[in-house]
Amino acid sequence: QADTAMSMAKRQGRNHLSFYQAQVAQKQRLDVNLRNQFQQAIDQERLELFYQPIVDLQSGKVVAAEALMRWQIHEGEFVPPAKFIPMAETTGQIIPASQWGFARACKDLQTMLAKQPDLQVCVNLSAVQFSRADFFEQIVATIKAHDLTNTQIELELTESVLMDDSEHAIALMNRFRQAGLSMAIDDFGTGFSSLSYLKKLPLDKLKIDRAFIQDIISKPSDEAIVRGILAVARQLNIEVVAEGIETKEQAVRLAELGCNYGQGFYFAKPMPLAEFMEFLA
Ligand code: C2E
Ligand code: MG
Ligand code: MG
Ligand code: MG
């Protein structure tokens, strides 16, 4: 009887193992498939950029447009950036995708300037790009090729860019900033770094992550954190954008606290260029 139980356990163990292996194999097939489909989207220029306005909280004026990449894998079916950006970072596909994206953002800004001459465009960068030798030259050349000036561009980076090789990253940030581009830190407050590293960074703007904004009305602790960030930023001469503003109440409170800019569904969701043009009008 013991013998039977043992062989049953073994059999089940084997079955479990092969079930697990089958799952891993299937996931790998799906990953390869997704990667191939993303490559096709890059090659056939089927990626898109949506734009979300960034608004001056005092005047209500739109000061910038953040470019957000979109990948429509099938008609009406979008893969979220939270899924394809990390994938593209591991495969290296983020490099050609971002090169396309940056050029498109420059081209689209030219279109937007007809409606709003002092608009900036904000582009998200990934750490992979920051480690490339010719990255600075490429960005500056693309801006020039589109008859724009460096001051019309803002580069957004997350704390992860600084974690890999912060010396190199800070040096590169300095180069960009000396060339006139604005530098912003994105998703501020969600990374591992502390407030103290802010003084080491050549920064124009800091974007407070949505996590601290969403409950700012109901949670005094979140309001306190935002107040703290604003106080430090003011001392360091860094302007602040609040991300993920969804209600009028949040916009009003943030304006009262002295936050410079806001972004979020309350003002507008990210939208295609044509819609953004109407929004500006
Ligand atoms: P992010 O740069 O922090 O962009 C803001 C994200 O918050 C966007 O998500 C936007 O749609 C969303 N959002 C804006 N307002 C609200 C709001 O009021 N409520 C809520 N719930 N969400 C709001 P999205 O477009 O899905 O992008 C996610 C992230 O993917 C971006 O976060 C950015 O880190 C990354 N990403 C997007 N496009 C690019 C790109 O071209 N290159 C790189 N490297 N990363 C990108
Ligand atoms: Mg961003
Ligand atoms: Mg963000
Ligand atoms: Mg975010």
Side-chain angles (χ1 to χ4, degrees):
Q1 220 182 2
D3 202 44
T4 322
M6 182 107 87
S7 69
M8 239 173 78
K10 262 191 190 157
R11 225 172 21 245
Q12 270 179 356
R14 247 196 322 271
N15 284 343
H16 272 120
L17 192 64
S18 63
F19 177 67
Y20 171 74
Q21 281 172 330
Q23 275 195 323
V24 169
Q26 194 191 352
K27 187 177 181 313
Q28 280 169 350
R29 268 197 304 278
L30 287 175
D31 287 352
V32 170
N33 195 11
L34 200 68
R35 176 195 305 190
N36 290 342
Q37 283 180 290
F38 189 67
Q39 192 58 45
Q40 281 177 11
I42 296 172
D43 295 342
Q44 300 167 3
E45 297 204 19
R46 282 192 289 102
L47 295 174
E48 299 166 65
L49 288 184
F50 277 22
Y51 294 95
Q52 189 179 30
I54 297 174
V55 173
D56 183 318
L57 288 175
Q58 299 299 329
S59 67
K61 207 179 139 214
V62 179
V63 295
E66 177 171 4
L68 295 159
M69 200 172 280
R70 293 291 178 264
W71 175 27
Q72 210 170 340
I73 190 162
H74 304 294
E75 184 69 36
E77 188 192 329
F78 289 89
V79 181
K83 184 165 186 183
F84 74 78
I85 296 282
M87 176 199 71
E89 284 174 339
T90 33
T91 62
Q93 290 168 311
I94 192 72
I95 300 292
S98 303
Q99 273 168 2
W100 170 84
F102 189 70
R104 173 54 61 90
C106 288
K107 180 171 177 265
D108 289 349
L109 178 62
Q110 272 299 355
T111 307
M112 295 173 195
L113 290 174
K115 288 251 164 81
Q116 186 112 327
D118 52 3
L119 202 72
Q120 267 192 331
V121 74
C122 309
V123 177
N124 293 284
L125 299 183
S126 96
V128 184
Q129 295 174 277
F130 245 66
S131 56
R132 299 270 291 208
D134 61 345
F135 181 53
F136 175 86
E137 286 75 15
Q138 227 178 52
I139 289 286
V140 169
T142 306
I143 295 170
K144 214 169 175 184
H146 287 84
D147 281 323
L148 294 167
T149 58
N150 293 341
T151 53
Q152 291 172 297
I153 309 294
E154 181 161 283
L155 301 180
E156 295 189 1
L157 34 115
T158 56
E159 290 164 50
S160 66
V161 172
L162 301 156
M163 272 166 48
D164 296 351
D165 180 0
S166 60
E167 301 261 306
H168 166 75
I170 292 172
L172 196 49
M173 287 174 76
N174 269 310
R175 273 186 91 188
F176 277 122
R177 202 143 174 268
Q178 275 154 19
L181 289 94
S182 313
M183 302 303 291
I185 194 109
D186 204 354
D187 303 343
F188 186 76
T190 57
F192 298 102
S193 313
S194 64
L195 277 172
S196 68
Y197 82 99
L198 280 179
K199 68 168 188 258
K200 287 193 259 171
L201 299 181
L203 280 181
D204 299 275
K205 285 203 188 80
L206 176 165
K207 301 185 78 172
I208 305 179
D209 195 78
R210 187 167 72 84
F212 303 101
I213 307 302
Q214 59 191 1
D215 298 323
I216 194 170
I217 302 299
S218 59
K219 283 197 185 144
S221 56
D222 282 356
E223 190 191 293
I225 290 168
V226 171
R227 278 180 191 274
I229 295 172
L230 287 167
V232 172
R234 204 171 298 128
Q235 284 298 313
L236 297 174
N237 232 346
I238 299 170
E239 291 193 304
V240 178
V241 183
E243 297 193 272
I245 298 180
E246 294 187 351
T247 67
K248 181 172 184 179
E249 223 181 343
Q250 292 167 342
V252 169
R253 178 71 55 86
L254 284 155
E256 283 167 1
L257 295 177
C259 182
N260 309 89
Y261 309 104
Q263 177 177 3
F265 296 168
Y266 168 66
F267 301 107
K269 289 196 172 179
M271 56 197 129
L273 176 67
E275 258 177 66
F276 191 80
M277 292 298 285
E278 283 168 35
F279 180 84
L280 285 179

